[in-house]
Amino acid sequence: MLIIFDCDGVLVDSEPLAAAVFSELLAAVGITLSAQQCYEKFHGHSLRYCFDWLEQTAEKPLPDDFGERLACATRDAFNQHLKPVSGVEQILQMLVDHNVSYCVASNGGHKKIASSLATTGLDKFFNQERGNCFSIEDVHQGKPAPDLFLHAAEVMGVPARFTTVIEDSPSGMSAALAAGMNLFVYDENNAYADSEYLTFASMVALGEYLQARWRR
């Protein structure tokens, strides 16, 4: 059994911070997109997707150094305000205690993933020594393609059918289903309450579900 976690929005509560920074920097170059709009348009997608979308829809091109400025501003915001998703540390410790394999697979770069995990203290669960951190940099295509999840499962030595993905974005959900993996949706805002997927509004609820499965 393998559990694959997305990073942003599942392990670390980064999405609102990242959207606010993105909106602020876009405004500085004359592109108006609110933090909520940035969240809705870019949630779960790679930076390449975000920049391509902006180039196609904005009336002006992004400055050449926009990516670097965005990375610096986001890093500063994360260093000051980033926190782990409530209850996720308990979930990870539970997996360690039950000897269940787990990893993180994110559309972010390795440097960004490592920084987010270190800032929130979750790097004790995910690090190079454990070999359980996977990034879009490891594959040809990121989410919503299944490549990243399939790569992570292969490296971890677990077949896709015995792998469960915990995601919170449409692109990540699509990637998990395309990979033939089980899907759990972390749905704090009940956006997918009426969907066919198994959803959890809190990590506490996820922990209770896993404990019940292990007691069977």
Side-chain angles (χ1 to χ4, degrees):
M1 180 180 182
L2 170 67
I3 295 183
I4 301 179
F5 292 86
D6 178 38
C7 187
D8 296 302
V10 173
L11 293 177
V12 299
D13 193 16
S14 56
E15 300 288 6
L17 286 174
V21 171
F22 212 145
S23 175
E24 183 178 343
L25 264 67
L26 287 175
V29 298
I31 299 175
T32 301
L33 211 62
S34 69
Q36 182 61 31
Q37 289 173 316
C38 286
Y39 177 84
E40 292 172 355
K41 295 290 185 183
F42 306 141
H43 180 210
H45 289 289
S46 67
L47 272 181
R48 184 67 271 158
Y49 170 92
C50 300
F51 290 171
D52 287 345
W53 185 90
L54 285 164
E55 289 178 2
Q56 292 172 12
T57 58
E59 296 181 356
K60 56 179 68 178
L62 294 172
D64 291 340
D65 66 343
F66 186 83
E68 182 179 349
R69 288 158 58 185
L70 178 63
C72 290
T74 302
R75 182 171 60 250
D76 289 344
F78 282 11
N79 286 340
Q80 295 181 55
H81 305 294
L82 189 64
K83 298 182 184 300
V85 166
S86 178
V88 78
E89 186 168 354
Q90 288 76 13
I91 293 290
L92 296 170
Q93 188 59 56
M94 183 190 307
L95 297 179
V96 172
D97 294 342
H98 285 81
N99 199 30
V100 175
S101 296
Y102 65 91
C103 64
V104 56
S106 169
N107 261 355
H110 276 293
K111 187 174 181 179
K112 178 176 179 288
I113 296 168
S115 178
S116 294
L117 295 174
T119 298
T120 56
L122 297 180
D123 55 339
K124 62 187 175 184
F125 296 103
F126 303 92
N127 49 57
Q128 287 186 340
E129 183 177 339
R130 290 181 180 271
N132 62 351
C133 292
F134 302 95
S135 158
I136 192 173
E137 296 171 350
D138 301 328
V139 293
H140 180 64
Q141 295 184 92
K143 309 170 197 177
D147 304 34
L148 180 55
F149 289 148
L150 291 172
H151 171 70
E154 181 179 7
V155 173
M156 297 295 292
V158 180
R161 66 182 182 277
F162 297 130
T163 298
T164 295
V165 173
I166 301 178
E167 266 287 355
D168 70 325
S169 72
S171 63
M173 293 160 62
S174 295
L177 296 173
M181 297 175 175
N182 301 303
L183 173 64
F184 291 171
V185 181
Y186 177 56
D187 186 22
E188 187 179 19
N189 298 315
N190 293 315
Y192 304 100
D194 297 326
S195 74
E196 60 186 292
Y197 312 120
L198 189 60
T199 63
F200 298 93
S202 71
M203 288 296 167
V204 172
L206 173 59
E208 292 172 349
Y209 176 81
L210 292 174
Q211 290 279 26
R213 285 188 63 182
W214 291 332
R215 285 196 294 268
R216 292 175 187 171

PDB file of all heavy atoms in Angstrom, residues 29-58:
ATOM      1  N   VAL A  29       2.348  44.678 -12.726  1.00  0.00           N
ATOM      2  CA  VAL A  29       2.701  44.747 -14.153  1.00  0.00           C
ATOM      3  C   VAL A  29       1.473  45.050 -15.009  1.00  0.00           C
ATOM      4  O   VAL A  29       1.481  44.871 -16.224  1.00  0.00           O
ATOM      5  CB  VAL A  29       3.378  43.448 -14.627  1.00  0.00           C
ATOM      6  CG1 VAL A  29       4.684  43.232 -13.869  1.00  0.00           C
ATOM      7  CG2 VAL A  29       2.459  42.238 -14.482  1.00  0.00           C
ATOM      8  N   GLY A  30       0.397  45.515 -14.351  1.00  0.00           N
ATOM      9  CA  GLY A  30      -0.772  45.977 -15.085  1.00  0.00           C
ATOM     10  C   GLY A  30      -1.780  44.924 -15.477  1.00  0.00           C
ATOM     11  O   GLY A  30      -2.612  45.145 -16.355  1.00  0.00           O
ATOM     12  N   ILE A  31      -1.755  43.771 -14.820  1.00  0.00           N
ATOM     13  CA  ILE A  31      -2.726  42.714 -15.099  1.00  0.00           C
ATOM     14  C   ILE A  31      -3.609  42.531 -13.867  1.00  0.00           C
ATOM     15  O   ILE A  31      -3.109  42.216 -12.782  1.00  0.00           O
ATOM     16  CB  ILE A  31      -2.025  41.390 -15.447  1.00  0.00           C
ATOM     17  CG1 ILE A  31      -1.161  41.564 -16.698  1.00  0.00           C
ATOM     18  CG2 ILE A  31      -3.052  40.277 -15.660  1.00  0.00           C
ATOM     19  CD1 ILE A  31      -0.337  40.336 -17.054  1.00  0.00           C
ATOM     20  N   THR A  32      -4.893  42.744 -14.025  1.00  0.00           N
ATOM     21  CA  THR A  32      -5.818  42.689 -12.900  1.00  0.00           C
ATOM     22  C   THR A  32      -6.441  41.306 -12.780  1.00  0.00           C
ATOM     23  O   THR A  32      -7.207  40.871 -13.646  1.00  0.00           O
ATOM     24  CB  THR A  32      -6.936  43.733 -13.050  1.00  0.00           C
ATOM     25  OG1 THR A  32      -6.353  45.031 -13.137  1.00  0.00           O
ATOM     26  CG2 THR A  32      -7.880  43.686 -11.851  1.00  0.00           C
ATOM     27  N   LEU A  33      -6.093  40.620 -11.717  1.00  0.00           N
ATOM     28  CA  LEU A  33      -6.650  39.310 -11.405  1.00  0.00           C
ATOM     29  C   LEU A  33      -6.637  39.193  -9.882  1.00  0.00           C
ATOM     30  O   LEU A  33      -5.585  39.256  -9.260  1.00  0.00           O
ATOM     31  CB  LEU A  33      -5.792  38.206 -12.042  1.00  0.00           C
ATOM     32  CG  LEU A  33      -6.472  36.910 -12.474  1.00  0.00           C
ATOM     33  CD1 LEU A  33      -7.510  37.167 -13.552  1.00  0.00           C
ATOM     34  CD2 LEU A  33      -5.446  35.909 -12.981  1.00  0.00           C
ATOM     35  N   SER A  34      -7.806  39.055  -9.291  1.00  0.00           N
ATOM     36  CA  SER A  34      -7.883  39.013  -7.833  1.00  0.00           C
ATOM     37  C   SER A  34      -7.247  37.740  -7.292  1.00  0.00           C
ATOM     38  O   SER A  34      -7.007  36.771  -8.043  1.00  0.00           O
ATOM     39  CB  SER A  34      -9.342  39.069  -7.375  1.00  0.00           C
ATOM     40  OG  SER A  34     -10.019  37.871  -7.709  1.00  0.00           O
ATOM     41  N   ALA A  35      -7.002  37.731  -5.984  1.00  0.00           N
ATOM     42  CA  ALA A  35      -6.433  36.536  -5.361  1.00  0.00           C
ATOM     43  C   ALA A  35      -7.369  35.345  -5.550  1.00  0.00           C
ATOM     44  O   ALA A  35      -6.914  34.226  -5.818  1.00  0.00           O
ATOM     45  CB  ALA A  35      -6.178  36.794  -3.880  1.00  0.00           C
ATOM     46  N   GLN A  36      -8.675  35.574  -5.428  1.00  0.00           N
ATOM     47  CA  GLN A  36      -9.639  34.497  -5.622  1.00  0.00           C
ATOM     48  C   GLN A  36      -9.612  33.982  -7.054  1.00  0.00           C
ATOM     49  O   GLN A  36      -9.671  32.782  -7.303  1.00  0.00           O
ATOM     50  CB  GLN A  36     -11.049  34.973  -5.274  1.00  0.00           C
ATOM     51  CG  GLN A  36     -12.130  33.904  -5.397  1.00  0.00           C
ATOM     52  CD  GLN A  36     -11.912  32.714  -4.485  1.00  0.00           C
ATOM     53  OE1 GLN A  36     -11.342  32.856  -3.393  1.00  0.00           O
ATOM     54  NE2 GLN A  36     -12.355  31.538  -4.909  1.00  0.00           N
ATOM     55  N   GLN A  37      -9.496  34.903  -8.011  1.00  0.00           N
ATOM     56  CA  GLN A  37      -9.415  34.495  -9.415  1.00  0.00           C
ATOM     57  C   GLN A  37      -8.133  33.725  -9.696  1.00  0.00           C
ATOM     58  O   GLN A  37      -8.151  32.738 -10.442  1.00  0.00           O
ATOM     59  CB  GLN A  37      -9.503  35.727 -10.320  1.00  0.00           C
ATOM     60  CG  GLN A  37     -10.883  36.361 -10.369  1.00  0.00           C
ATOM     61  CD  GLN A  37     -10.890  37.660 -11.144  1.00  0.00           C
ATOM     62  OE1 GLN A  37      -9.993  38.497 -10.977  1.00  0.00           O
ATOM     63  NE2 GLN A  37     -11.902  37.855 -11.985  1.00  0.00           N
ATOM     64  N   CYS A  38      -7.033  34.150  -9.107  1.00  0.00           N
ATOM     65  CA  CYS A  38      -5.770  33.416  -9.261  1.00  0.00           C
ATOM     66  C   CYS A  38      -5.906  32.003  -8.709  1.00  0.00           C
ATOM     67  O   CYS A  38      -5.444  31.023  -9.330  1.00  0.00           O
ATOM     68  CB  CYS A  38      -4.631  34.145  -8.556  1.00  0.00           C
ATOM     69  SG  CYS A  38      -4.046  35.634  -9.407  1.00  0.00           S
ATOM     70  N   TYR A  39      -6.545  31.892  -7.563  1.00  0.00           N
ATOM     71  CA  TYR A  39      -6.761  30.568  -6.963  1.00  0.00           C
ATOM     72  C   TYR A  39      -7.594  29.686  -7.886  1.00  0.00           C
ATOM     73  O   TYR A  39      -7.252  28.531  -8.151  1.00  0.00           O
ATOM     74  CB  TYR A  39      -7.442  30.715  -5.609  1.00  0.00           C
ATOM     75  CG  TYR A  39      -7.767  29.390  -4.954  1.00  0.00           C
ATOM     76  CD1 TYR A  39      -6.813  28.717  -4.204  1.00  0.00           C
ATOM     77  CD2 TYR A  39      -9.028  28.815  -5.105  1.00  0.00           C
ATOM     78  CE1 TYR A  39      -7.104  27.490  -3.616  1.00  0.00           C
ATOM     79  CE2 TYR A  39      -9.315  27.591  -4.527  1.00  0.00           C
ATOM     80  CZ  TYR A  39      -8.368  26.937  -3.783  1.00  0.00           C
ATOM     81  OH  TYR A  39      -8.649  25.723  -3.213  1.00  0.00           O
ATOM     82  N   GLU A  40      -8.693  30.234  -8.395  1.00  0.00           N
ATOM     83  CA  GLU A  40      -9.598  29.448  -9.235  1.00  0.00           C
ATOM     84  C   GLU A  40      -8.953  29.053 -10.559  1.00  0.00           C
ATOM     85  O   GLU A  40      -9.167  27.940 -11.051  1.00  0.00           O
ATOM     86  CB  GLU A  40     -10.885  30.246  -9.490  1.00  0.00           C
ATOM     87  CG  GLU A  40     -11.730  30.437  -8.235  1.00  0.00           C
ATOM     88  CD  GLU A  40     -12.899  31.380  -8.450  1.00  0.00           C
ATOM     89  OE1 GLU A  40     -12.999  31.960  -9.560  1.00  0.00           O
ATOM     90  OE2 GLU A  40     -13.718  31.535  -7.530  1.00  0.00           O
ATOM     91  N   LYS A  41      -8.159  29.947 -11.143  1.00  0.00           N
ATOM     92  CA  LYS A  41      -7.554  29.676 -12.448  1.00  0.00           C
ATOM     93  C   LYS A  41      -6.337  28.764 -12.355  1.00  0.00           C
ATOM     94  O   LYS A  41      -6.103  27.940 -13.249  1.00  0.00           O
ATOM     95  CB  LYS A  41      -7.135  30.995 -13.109  1.00  0.00           C
ATOM     96  CG  LYS A  41      -8.273  31.925 -13.462  1.00  0.00           C
ATOM     97  CD  LYS A  41      -9.111  31.380 -14.604  1.00  0.00           C
ATOM     98  CE  LYS A  41     -10.179  32.387 -15.016  1.00  0.00           C
ATOM     99  NZ  LYS A  41     -11.065  31.832 -16.082  1.00  0.00           N
ATOM    100  N   PHE A  42      -5.548  28.913 -11.292  1.00  0.00           N
ATOM    101  CA  PHE A  42      -4.236  28.276 -11.255  1.00  0.00           C
ATOM    102  C   PHE A  42      -4.096  27.155 -10.246  1.00  0.00           C
ATOM    103  O   PHE A  42      -3.061  26.489 -10.211  1.00  0.00           O
ATOM    104  CB  PHE A  42      -3.164  29.336 -10.976  1.00  0.00           C
ATOM    105  CG  PHE A  42      -3.203  30.500 -11.924  1.00  0.00           C
ATOM    106  CD1 PHE A  42      -2.970  31.797 -11.471  1.00  0.00           C
ATOM    107  CD2 PHE A  42      -3.478  30.314 -13.267  1.00  0.00           C
ATOM    108  CE1 PHE A  42      -2.997  32.879 -12.343  1.00  0.00           C
ATOM    109  CE2 PHE A  42      -3.513  31.379 -14.157  1.00  0.00           C
ATOM    110  CZ  PHE A  42      -3.278  32.666 -13.688  1.00  0.00           C
ATOM    111  N   HIS A  43      -5.116  26.926  -9.423  1.00  0.00           N
ATOM    112  CA  HIS A  43      -5.060  25.928  -8.361  1.00  0.00           C
ATOM    113  C   HIS A  43      -4.677  24.555  -8.915  1.00  0.00           C
ATOM    114  O   HIS A  43      -5.354  24.004  -9.770  1.00  0.00           O
ATOM    115  CB  HIS A  43      -6.429  25.861  -7.682  1.00  0.00           C
ATOM    116  CG  HIS A  43      -6.521  24.870  -6.575  1.00  0.00           C
ATOM    117  ND1 HIS A  43      -7.688  24.219  -6.244  1.00  0.00           N
ATOM    118  CD2 HIS A  43      -5.586  24.406  -5.707  1.00  0.00           C
ATOM    119  CE1 HIS A  43      -7.481  23.412  -5.237  1.00  0.00           C
ATOM    120  NE2 HIS A  43      -6.214  23.509  -4.894  1.00  0.00           N
ATOM    121  N   GLY A  44      -3.563  24.022  -8.430  1.00  0.00           N
ATOM    122  CA  GLY A  44      -3.139  22.686  -8.799  1.00  0.00           C
ATOM    123  C   GLY A  44      -2.348  22.588 -10.086  1.00  0.00           C
ATOM    124  O   GLY A  44      -1.897  21.503 -10.447  1.00  0.00           O
ATOM    125  N   HIS A  45      -2.163  23.704 -10.783  1.00  0.00           N
ATOM    126  CA  HIS A  45      -1.467  23.683 -12.061  1.00  0.00           C
ATOM    127  C   HIS A  45       0.003  24.079 -11.904  1.00  0.00           C
ATOM    128  O   HIS A  45       0.388  24.727 -10.922  1.00  0.00           O
ATOM    129  CB  HIS A  45      -2.141  24.630 -13.047  1.00  0.00           C
ATOM    130  CG  HIS A  45      -3.473  24.150 -13.537  1.00  0.00           C
ATOM    131  ND1 HIS A  45      -3.599  23.093 -14.396  1.00  0.00           N
ATOM    132  CD2 HIS A  45      -4.737  24.584 -13.282  1.00  0.00           C
ATOM    133  CE1 HIS A  45      -4.875  22.887 -14.665  1.00  0.00           C
ATOM    134  NE2 HIS A  45      -5.590  23.772 -14.000  1.00  0.00           N
ATOM    135  N   SER A  46       0.791  23.726 -12.896  1.00  0.00           N
ATOM    136  CA  SER A  46       2.202  24.106 -12.907  1.00  0.00           C
ATOM    137  C   SER A  46       2.341  25.584 -13.260  1.00  0.00           C
ATOM    138  O   SER A  46       1.432  26.187 -13.852  1.00  0.00           O
ATOM    139  CB  SER A  46       2.962  23.263 -13.932  1.00  0.00           C
ATOM    140  OG  SER A  46       2.525  23.583 -15.251  1.00  0.00           O
ATOM    141  N   LEU A  47       3.487  26.157 -12.925  1.00  0.00           N
ATOM    142  CA  LEU A  47       3.744  27.553 -13.289  1.00  0.00           C
ATOM    143  C   LEU A  47       3.732  27.736 -14.795  1.00  0.00           C
ATOM    144  O   LEU A  47       3.274  28.764 -15.302  1.00  0.00           O
ATOM    145  CB  LEU A  47       5.094  28.008 -12.715  1.00  0.00           C
ATOM    146  CG  LEU A  47       5.079  28.589 -11.304  1.00  0.00           C
ATOM    147  CD1 LEU A  47       6.484  29.010 -10.907  1.00  0.00           C
ATOM    148  CD2 LEU A  47       4.112  29.766 -11.188  1.00  0.00           C
ATOM    149  N   ARG A  48       4.220  26.738 -15.515  1.00  0.00           N
ATOM    150  CA  ARG A  48       4.217  26.843 -16.976  1.00  0.00           C
ATOM    151  C   ARG A  48       2.803  26.997 -17.510  1.00  0.00           C
ATOM    152  O   ARG A  48       2.552  27.800 -18.408  1.00  0.00           O
ATOM    153  CB  ARG A  48       4.864  25.593 -17.579  1.00  0.00           C
ATOM    154  CG  ARG A  48       5.013  25.589 -19.086  1.00  0.00           C
ATOM    155  CD  ARG A  48       6.012  26.629 -19.548  1.00  0.00           C
ATOM    156  NE  ARG A  48       5.418  27.940 -19.798  1.00  0.00           N
ATOM    157  CZ  ARG A  48       6.085  29.062 -19.807  1.00  0.00           C
ATOM    158  NH1 ARG A  48       7.374  29.093 -19.538  1.00  0.00           N
ATOM    159  NH2 ARG A  48       5.485  30.213 -20.057  1.00  0.00           N
ATOM    160  N   TYR A  49       1.880  26.227 -16.946  1.00  0.00           N
ATOM    161  CA  TYR A  49       0.472  26.347 -17.336  1.00  0.00           C
ATOM    162  C   TYR A  49      -0.043  27.751 -17.020  1.00  0.00           C
ATOM    163  O   TYR A  49      -0.718  28.375 -17.848  1.00  0.00           O
ATOM    164  CB  TYR A  49      -0.376  25.305 -16.601  1.00  0.00           C
ATOM    165  CG  TYR A  49      -1.867  25.513 -16.758  1.00  0.00           C
ATOM    166  CD1 TYR A  49      -2.557  24.883 -17.787  1.00  0.00           C
ATOM    167  CD2 TYR A  49      -2.579  26.347 -15.891  1.00  0.00           C
ATOM    168  CE1 TYR A  49      -3.924  25.072 -17.946  1.00  0.00           C
ATOM    169  CE2 TYR A  49      -3.939  26.553 -16.050  1.00  0.00           C
ATOM    170  CZ  TYR A  49      -4.602  25.914 -17.079  1.00  0.00           C
ATOM    171  OH  TYR A  49      -5.956  26.129 -17.234  1.00  0.00           O
ATOM    172  N   CYS A  50       0.264  28.251 -15.818  1.00  0.00           N
ATOM    173  CA  CYS A  50      -0.213  29.579 -15.404  1.00  0.00           C
ATOM    174  C   CYS A  50       0.308  30.665 -16.342  1.00  0.00           C
ATOM    175  O   CYS A  50      -0.455  31.547 -16.776  1.00  0.00           O
ATOM    176  CB  CYS A  50       0.229  29.867 -13.968  1.00  0.00           C
ATOM    177  SG  CYS A  50      -0.377  28.686 -12.743  1.00  0.00           S
ATOM    178  N   PHE A  51       1.597  30.605 -16.642  1.00  0.00           N
ATOM    179  CA  PHE A  51       2.193  31.625 -17.511  1.00  0.00           C
ATOM    180  C   PHE A  51       1.644  31.523 -18.927  1.00  0.00           C
ATOM    181  O   PHE A  51       1.393  32.541 -19.577  1.00  0.00           O
ATOM    182  CB  PHE A  51       3.710  31.494 -17.517  1.00  0.00           C
ATOM    183  CG  PHE A  51       4.368  31.878 -16.211  1.00  0.00           C
ATOM    184  CD1 PHE A  51       5.714  31.646 -16.000  1.00  0.00           C
ATOM    185  CD2 PHE A  51       3.634  32.465 -15.186  1.00  0.00           C
ATOM    186  CE1 PHE A  51       6.323  31.999 -14.811  1.00  0.00           C
ATOM    187  CE2 PHE A  51       4.235  32.822 -13.983  1.00  0.00           C
ATOM    188  CZ  PHE A  51       5.579  32.586 -13.793  1.00  0.00           C
ATOM    189  N   ASP A  52       1.441  30.303 -19.427  1.00  0.00           N
ATOM    190  CA  ASP A  52       0.873  30.129 -20.762  1.00  0.00           C
ATOM    191  C   ASP A  52      -0.538  30.698 -20.820  1.00  0.00           C
ATOM    192  O   ASP A  52      -0.923  31.353 -21.806  1.00  0.00           O
ATOM    193  CB  ASP A  52       0.851  28.646 -21.152  1.00  0.00           C
ATOM    194  CG  ASP A  52       2.230  28.103 -21.473  1.00  0.00           C
ATOM    195  OD1 ASP A  52       3.162  28.919 -21.666  1.00  0.00           O
ATOM    196  OD2 ASP A  52       2.381  26.870 -21.532  1.00  0.00           O
ATOM    197  N   TRP A  53      -1.312  30.436 -19.781  1.00  0.00           N
ATOM    198  CA  TRP A  53      -2.687  30.957 -19.724  1.00  0.00           C
ATOM    199  C   TRP A  53      -2.682  32.483 -19.731  1.00  0.00           C
ATOM    200  O   TRP A  53      -3.472  33.119 -20.437  1.00  0.00           O
ATOM    201  CB  TRP A  53      -3.397  30.435 -18.487  1.00  0.00           C
ATOM    202  CG  TRP A  53      -4.844  30.823 -18.403  1.00  0.00           C
ATOM    203  CD1 TRP A  53      -5.919  30.119 -18.896  1.00  0.00           C
ATOM    204  CD2 TRP A  53      -5.387  32.007 -17.804  1.00  0.00           C
ATOM    205  NE1 TRP A  53      -7.084  30.796 -18.639  1.00  0.00           N
ATOM    206  CE2 TRP A  53      -6.798  31.953 -17.968  1.00  0.00           C
ATOM    207  CE3 TRP A  53      -4.832  33.103 -17.142  1.00  0.00           C
ATOM    208  CZ2 TRP A  53      -7.639  32.957 -17.492  1.00  0.00           C
ATOM    209  CZ3 TRP A  53      -5.676  34.104 -16.678  1.00  0.00           C
ATOM    210  CH2 TRP A  53      -7.058  34.024 -16.843  1.00  0.00           C
ATOM    211  N   LEU A  54      -1.789  33.077 -18.950  1.00  0.00           N
ATOM    212  CA  LEU A  54      -1.714  34.538 -18.889  1.00  0.00           C
ATOM    213  C   LEU A  54      -1.284  35.134 -20.235  1.00  0.00           C
ATOM    214  O   LEU A  54      -1.825  36.152 -20.669  1.00  0.00           O
ATOM    215  CB  LEU A  54      -0.731  34.962 -17.793  1.00  0.00           C
ATOM    216  CG  LEU A  54      -1.246  34.801 -16.360  1.00  0.00           C
ATOM    217  CD1 LEU A  54      -0.099  34.873 -15.365  1.00  0.00           C
ATOM    218  CD2 LEU A  54      -2.303  35.864 -16.045  1.00  0.00           C
ATOM    219  N   GLU A  55      -0.331  34.487 -20.885  1.00  0.00           N
ATOM    220  CA  GLU A  55       0.131  34.991 -22.175  1.00  0.00           C
ATOM    221  C   GLU A  55      -0.976  34.940 -23.231  1.00  0.00           C
ATOM    222  O   GLU A  55      -1.040  35.783 -24.126  1.00  0.00           O
ATOM    223  CB  GLU A  55       1.344  34.186 -22.641  1.00  0.00           C
ATOM    224  CG  GLU A  55       2.599  34.473 -21.833  1.00  0.00           C
ATOM    225  CD  GLU A  55       3.782  33.628 -22.279  1.00  0.00           C
ATOM    226  OE1 GLU A  55       3.616  32.857 -23.254  1.00  0.00           O
ATOM    227  OE2 GLU A  55       4.850  33.726 -21.656  1.00  0.00           O
ATOM    228  N   GLN A  56      -1.863  33.968 -23.103  1.00  0.00           N
ATOM    229  CA  GLN A  56      -2.939  33.821 -24.068  1.00  0.00           C
ATOM    230  C   GLN A  56      -4.113  34.764 -23.795  1.00  0.00           C
ATOM    231  O   GLN A  56      -4.850  35.129 -24.709  1.00  0.00           O
ATOM    232  CB  GLN A  56      -3.443  32.371 -24.071  1.00  0.00           C
ATOM    233  CG  GLN A  56      -2.437  31.372 -24.607  1.00  0.00           C
ATOM    234  CD  GLN A  56      -2.887  29.935 -24.412  1.00  0.00           C
ATOM    235  OE1 GLN A  56      -4.044  29.685 -24.078  1.00  0.00           O
ATOM    236  NE2 GLN A  56      -1.978  28.993 -24.619  1.00  0.00           N
ATOM    237  N   THR A  57      -4.299  35.158 -22.531  1.00  0.00           N
ATOM    238  CA  THR A  57      -5.484  35.931 -22.181  1.00  0.00           C
ATOM    239  C   THR A  57      -5.197  37.384 -21.804  1.00  0.00           C
ATOM    240  O   THR A  57      -6.079  38.232 -21.954  1.00  0.00           O
ATOM    241  CB  THR A  57      -6.230  35.262 -21.000  1.00  0.00           C
ATOM    242  OG1 THR A  57      -5.340  35.146 -19.881  1.00  0.00           O
ATOM    243  CG2 THR A  57      -6.734  33.878 -21.391  1.00  0.00           C
ATOM    244  N   ALA A  58      -3.993  37.670 -21.298  1.00  0.00           N
ATOM    245  CA  ALA A  58      -3.675  39.042 -20.898  1.00  0.00           C
ATOM    246  C   ALA A  58      -3.342  39.885 -22.131  1.00  0.00           C
ATOM    247  O   ALA A  58      -2.886  39.382 -23.146  1.00  0.00           O
ATOM    248  CB  ALA A  58      -2.499  39.050 -19.926  1.00  0.00           C
TER     249      ALA A  58
END
